[in-house]
Amino acid sequence: MEKTYNNKAWFLVLPVLVLVAFSAVIPLMTVVNYSVQDTFGNNVFFWAGTEWFEQVLTSSRFHGALIRSLSFSLVILAIQIPLGIFVALNMPRKGIGVPICLVLMALPLLIPWNVVGTIWQVFGRGDIGLLGYTLRTLGISYNYATDPWHAWITVVVMDVWHWTSLVVLLCYAGLVSIPDAYYQAAKIDGASRWSVFRYIQLPKMNRVLLIAVLLRFMDSFMIYTEPFVVTGGGPGSATNFLSIDLVKMAIGQFDLGPAAAMSIVYFLIILALSWVFYTVMTNYDTANR
Amino acid sequence: MARIELDHIRHAYMANPQSADDYALKEVHHQWSDGGAYALLGPSGCGKTTLLNIISGLLKPSEGQIRFNGTDVTNLSTEERNIAQVFQFPVVYDTMTVFDNLAFPLRNRGLPEADVKKRVTETLEMLDLSDRANKRARGLTADQKQKISLGRGLVRRDVNAILFDEPLTVIDPHLKWVLRSELKKLHRRFGFTMVYVTHDQTEALTFADKVVVMYEGEIVQIGTPDELFRKPAHTFVGYFIGSPGMNIVPIKLDQGRARLGEHVIDMPGATPMPGKMELGIRPEFVTLGREGMPVSISKVEDIGRHRIVRAQLADHDIAVVVPEDGDIPADPRVTFVPEGINLYADSRRVETRG
Ligand SMILES: Nc1ncnc2c1ncn2[C@@H]1O[C@H](COP(=O)(O)OP(=O)(O)O)[C@@H](O)[C@H]1O
Ligand SMILES: [Mg+2]
């Protein structure tokens, strides 16, 4: 189709630009401001250049947190995406089961994040928590407050419990949009269950899966509230993810300069990785044309 | 290849059908002979797709039995019945190449790759898709996609039957003609039983040995195109086949004659019977002249070889086919050619002579 060019169109975009400026760009500029200056309070600032960035990028504390966050996101994606697809495939397509399943799936998504954290914090406790107590009586020494592995498992299971439904719902939406004729044709062609998944369902879910991967990556990479409530980043620094570390630095130690520099690095990493996911998945999509 | 018997098949989509109206298929009791080419003709919603899906096993009938060569297959899966079916709207596997799409049903059945290659190449050639064999199926146009759908049915030659559900709806007229002749050729070459659903009468009449006409969940007539034209077994067949359709007028039946308003039409052999009586006569068998029953002409359509005269006869609309050079008198009257008269009781044809 021919596009018509008219510079007046910019006026139509103006309101959005103003909104974005106030909600995102200006706060971001403050952070940029902090990241290149030093202060001893009283609103007196000194130019610090790239000092904070160098400090953050070379610190082993940052490297540790970055690796923990990346591993966490990978584990989350590796569990939630296949699990979400699997659950969606097994959800009923019609009848009374549909609304029941949808409501059940939506429930965890509706719970506020700190409440989720609190639920699991209590759930896992050895003295009063159902899970912790049961495991303990079964003879398994489970304690997320002292054992790093237990802490990790708890945080991962909690996130799976909280967010897999999002993947399920997205995949389900993709699945129900497949016309019946495809399944009928597959039967006529003698396709196996696996072929139906591989050649009909997966291609049709491609787009929603892209969204699911992006959302789950960004969200898990930025996870803060739930692990903070459950483990507070511990034991030691076992679950000290980037976001938790950032808050400790900014609010706990009031190191505004390094914290601001870290925020920016953090933001750029998310942006870059999301872009990578997006291009890889859409390229895969168009390569198939 | 198989003879397909439908033994008192009924089907309702709802769980507890109460009346006959709840059935999408009211009662189908019919045999498709081995190697026959059938056209299944009927208006939208009359149950054609339902019937095909029951034959192919996509749908299990509420009642009745299906037999292939005498063996009960009612509870067998689509796969076990070995039937190819082509749907009305194209179904392609987007991520596969055109070649792989056609190879898919063969590979699923474990055919050796050499045979797969041979058959797919042949079929692609026939469908004029060879140059796209290695392209992804996704970017193709609707009619190319439909050709692929068709191809996935046609590569399988050892099937019991091939069912086509209005497969050429999305295809342009010229290509339609080409594909139809290809189908006919294939049928002659491989002799599979073929059922071809359409709601286009020309397509049905040019394609099939036998035309099966369905109406409101029932098969109302099975016959050659000529039988459908001369002796429609149901008033619906009369309307549906022929252009324009048959004239149907209500009558009162006496011994040996029919009354249409104040007019009397001789019908030797007819006896009074209960039910709603109608007389059917094709416009080709109505003669316009200076004798017979007076009509008032409302419109004359010139369609080349002949003219169609629309007129009123005793308050009923009728159509008359008049030859191009035929005369239309100022005081028009019509007579019915006796061989063209059909009698209907409650919409079904009754034999009057012989
Ligand atoms: N999956 C279905 N569920 C309920 N009713 C259906 C379904 N498919 C078809 N029907 C109904 O059955 C009747 C016959 O439909 P169909 O066999 O598709 O007709 P055709 O192919 O001749 O157009 C229609 O009244 C239609 O509404
Ligand atoms: Mg149909």
Side-chain angles (χ1 to χ4, degrees), chain A residues 113-114 116-117 158-159 162-163 223-231:
Chain A
W113 298 335
N114 52 347
V116 171
M158 174 175 66
D159 197 77
H162 193 183
W163 286 111
I223 192 169
Y224 173 74
T225 318
E226 301 101 308
F228 183 75
V229 172
V230 178
T231 64

Side-chain angles (χ1 to χ4, degrees), chain A residues 123-161:
Chain A
F123 191 44
R125 276 173 63 172
D127 48 355
I128 54 168
L130 187 61
L131 176 72
Y133 184 79
T134 314
L135 285 176
R136 195 166 284 186
T137 30
L138 286 176
I140 301 163
S141 70
Y142 163 80
N143 190 343
Y144 63 76
T146 54
D147 185 321
W149 281 108
H150 293 176
W152 259 80
I153 292 170
T154 310
V155 173
V156 167
V157 170
M158 174 175 66
D159 197 77
V160 168
W161 176 83

Side-chain angles (χ1 to χ4, degrees), chain A residues 181-182 184-191 195 199-200 203-204 285 288-289, chain B residues 78-79 83 85 87 91-93 95-96 104-105 108-109 136 138 152 156:
Chain A
Y182 280 82
Q184 296 187 332
K187 269 192 201 162
I188 295 287
D189 291 338
S195 296
Y199 298 113
I200 297 176
K204 293 280 173 194
D285 207 39
N288 279 331
R289 258 165 229 275
Chain B
T78 303
E79 166 99 48
I83 281 202
Q85 185 172 0
F87 302 92
V91 174
V92 295
Y93 303 108
T95 53
M96 292 187 203
F104 190 58
N108 285 335
R109 287 176 175 77
R136 298 275 170 188
R138 182 177 293 183
R152 281 204 317 273
R156 296 167 56 193

Side-chain angles (χ1 to χ4, degrees), chain B residues 49-71:
Chain B
T49 301
T50 307
L51 185 61
L52 285 202
N53 289 350
I54 284 175
I55 296 175
S56 63
L58 292 173
L59 208 59
K60 192 176 173 309
S62 314
E63 292 162 39
Q65 200 187 47
I66 305 161
R67 288 186 295 270
F68 286 5
N69 291 331
T71 318

Side-chain angles (χ1 to χ4, degrees), chain B residues 162-180:
Chain B
I162 302 192
L163 313 176
F164 299 96
D165 196 350
E166 311 194 31
L168 305 182
T169 315
V170 294
I171 288 183
D172 79 74
H174 173 69
L175 191 59
K176 225 176 196 168
W177 189 84
V178 173
L179 287 177
R180 212 153 53 204

